[in-house]
Amino acid sequence: MRRAPSHGPGPFSPGFWRSPLRGPWFTSVLGVVLLGGITVLFVTGLVSYAAYNPDLSPVNDKTPDKGILGFYLFSWPTNPHWLYRLNQGVHVTLGITLIPVLLAKLWSVVPKLFALPPARSLTHALERISLLLLVGGALFEFVTGVLNVQLDYVFPGSFYPLHFYGAWVFFAAFVAHAALKMPMALRNLRHMRDSREEEKTELVSPNPSPPTVSRRGALGFVGGGSLLLFATTAGQNFDGPLRRTALLAPHGGAEPVSGPAGFQINKTAAYAGIRAVDTSDEAWRLVVEGRDGRTVRLSRADLLQLPLHSAALPIACVEGWSTSDQWWRGVRLRDLAALVGYDTDPPDVFVESLQQRGSFRRAALRANQVADSRSLLALFVNGEDLTPDHGHPARIIVPAAPGVLNTKWVARMTFGDL
Ligand SMILES: Nc1nc2c(c(=O)[nH]1)N[C@H]1C(S)=C(S)[C@@H](COP(=O)(O)O)O[C@H]1N2
Ligand SMILES: [Mo]
């Protein structure tokens, strides 16, 4: 029997960590899964950032001092119309599914956190500092992500820059870590399988308790946890019975009402402080501004006199829920641009809501989004007037864009390059 080397008291002694599950094979399997999964999370996260058209700052992107990190130079496309729905569905569903894998991975290496001496050499010291960024960054990104999805914006307005900067710090540490450990992880996976004959490493307990479950069994348990999270989350990207399987989705995962307006609502009119007196046919006017200060004021009846068009488009929120295509009907954004002097080549537009309360009131759209014939100032959805909660009297709907750009209760639109 091997004797436990004692380097310190309690957890600082390797003999303190007795699970026979810990070892290079177990850690390597989880590490390889995270390598693939976190890379996808990072890419879909960056794509999601690009979808906001962050160069339309400070309106769409309020990240302070982002410098070269805000390097997007392209206009977010409008095709395919489900682009953001797919991207964000993958980002959020995968992120939630990976939680058990992340926790198991951290558990598998936790003895190393207590390893003494704290640093054997300068390289070792640097490696341990990078691990702090890695573990701290991972926990920070997963926690802020989940909080945002579940409690929509516990930190009003600040989730976005926190998650954004956190992602860069975390990913830099992650790349360094993967580059350092990948060769060893692959070697472990190729040669060792689930062998008990592992070379003695820091990960293997010198004083293991008798096993109660095999390593494969433990991996199955982690995978089962992931599968359960996946199965109770993914449904929020679909309508009907599937959405009811999204037990973990925010808003209880249920349709808010039935009928034509029976798709998910982000913020209700009551929450946003929208009063019926301001949205009545008598009171409400849409102000459209454009070239050379040209301004028109339109009542809902005026808008109904303009050519009306339909488009089947989803709402896809950054929080990871989305609706299937809904039938929107209203006035094309490019037709509104034409009313104020842009007969050809419509420019960008800055959209403001009636809403005075809460962090969300305005959003900007790029010229290519305005030009798309499916981009509407919608007055109807699924054959009926918009309900107050979906943005009555009028709301924006744009193909492939994040839900947050689809401003509800529109009051003013200013056309002109931003
Ligand atoms: N004025 C206003 N418009 C808004 C919002 C808001 O809070 N206020 N929320 C946005 C977000 S984040 C989303 S996902 C969609 C949701 O639209 P829905 O509630 O009709 O599903 O509306 C967008 N438009
Ligand atoms: Mo949203």
Side-chain angles (χ1 to χ4, degrees):
M1 201 181 129
R2 272 187 278 164
R3 212 153 40 88
S6 176
H7 296 285
F12 294 97
S13 153
F16 177 85
W17 304 98
R18 301 198 54 194
S19 172
L21 293 176
R22 288 201 181 87
W25 182 81
F26 192 65
T27 295
S28 299
V29 173
L30 297 168
V32 167
V33 173
L34 286 177
L35 175 69
I38 286 176
T39 303
V40 173
L41 287 183
F42 186 67
V43 171
T44 49
L46 285 188
V47 168
S48 179
Y49 176 68
Y52 278 66
N53 276 330
D55 50 341
L56 295 176
S57 59
V59 179
N60 286 11
D61 173 25
K62 301 182 187 70
T63 316
D65 306 320
K66 62 190 174 210
I68 53 161
L69 296 184
F71 59 83
Y72 291 97
L73 303 169
F74 64 97
S75 305
W76 181 248
T78 54
N79 279 309
H81 70 275
W82 38 260
L83 184 59
Y84 191 75
R85 186 178 178 204
L86 175 69
N87 184 81
Q88 205 57 15
V90 168
H91 185 75
V92 171
T93 309
L94 180 62
I96 290 176
T97 302
L98 285 178
I99 290 173
V101 184
L102 178 73
L103 293 179
K105 173 74 161 64
L106 293 177
W107 173 84
S108 80
V109 295
V110 79
K112 296 182 80 170
L113 185 65
F114 295 93
L116 291 176
R120 288 191 299 267
S121 63
L122 184 62
T123 353
H124 186 230
L126 287 177
E127 194 203 319
R128 292 198 79 178
I129 291 174
S130 83
L131 284 179
L132 280 186
L133 293 179
L134 183 75
V135 173
L139 291 175
F140 184 83
E141 286 303 282
F142 277 80
V143 167
T144 52
V146 167
L147 285 180
N148 184 50
V149 165
Q150 290 299 330
L151 306 174
D152 44 27
Y153 308 95
V154 257
F155 355 71
S158 63
F159 159 76
Y160 181 97
L162 287 178
H163 201 66
F164 175 81
Y165 284 123
W168 281 105
V169 172
F170 168 53
F171 200 69
F174 179 76
V175 167
H177 181 72
L180 279 173
K181 300 288 184 179
M182 194 42 29
M184 193 177 67
L186 292 180
R187 231 181 11 254
N188 289 339
L189 292 183
R190 252 199 320 274
H191 296 314
M192 284 187 320
R193 300 286 152 68
D194 190 11
S195 149
R196 297 264 161 220
E197 299 302 309
E198 284 168 339
E199 47 182 305
K200 199 169 146 249
T201 75
E202 283 171 294
L203 292 174
V204 177
S205 173
N207 180 23
S209 334
T212 52
V213 54
S214 71
R215 288 191 176 141
R216 278 172 200 282
L219 273 189
F221 185 68
V222 173
S226 284
L227 208 63
L228 190 67
L229 286 175
F230 177 83
T232 48
T233 303
Q236 66 177 327
N237 290 289
F238 305 94
D239 293 339
L242 265 182
R243 186 178 299 269
R244 283 193 281 281
T245 65
L247 302 173
L248 286 184
H251 316 286
E255 300 295 342
V257 292
S258 55
F263 56 96
Q264 186 143 345
I265 290 161
N266 180 289
K267 298 281 158 43
T268 62
Y271 173 93
I274 302 295
R275 302 177 311 165
V277 288
D278 298 325
T279 55
S280 68
D281 286 350
E282 299 72 44
W284 183 79
R285 295 291 178 275
L286 173 73
V287 179
V288 185
E289 285 185 339
R291 188 169 269 168
D292 319 320
R294 234 193 272 186
T295 301
V296 297
R297 288 167 59 83
L298 302 159
S299 66
R300 204 175 137 101
D302 297 331
L303 287 168
L304 292 172
Q305 296 304 308
L306 296 172
L308 298 182
H309 298 271
S310 296
L313 299 172
I315 300 264
C317 181
V318 66
E319 293 163 19
W321 58 265
S322 59
T323 72
S324 55
D325 294 352
Q326 310 294 322
W327 278 97
W328 305 92
R329 189 164 175 77
V331 181
R332 282 183 175 152
L333 298 188
R334 66 182 194 206
D335 289 349
L336 292 171
L339 287 181
V340 289
Y342 297 96
D343 299 309
T344 55
D345 297 330
D348 307 333
V349 67
F350 177 53
V351 181
E352 291 164 277
S353 172
L354 263 185
Q355 181 182 349
Q356 298 298 320
R357 202 188 282 170
S359 57
F360 180 99
R361 263 159 309 189
R362 47 212 209 126
L365 300 169
R366 264 284 175 242
N368 67 311
Q369 293 172 316
V370 175
D372 194 292
S373 62
R374 296 162 298 175
S375 297
L376 303 175
L377 180 71
L379 307 170
F380 304 93
V381 65
N382 300 325
E384 293 194 357
D385 275 4
L386 286 178
T387 58
D389 289 340
H390 284 304
H392 178 87
R395 79 169 303 163
I396 300 286
I397 184 83
V398 170
V404 70
L405 298 183
N406 295 322
T407 305
K408 305 197 276 193
W409 315 292
V410 174
R412 177 183 286 265
M413 300 175 68
T414 310
F415 287 94
D417 282 322
L418 293 165

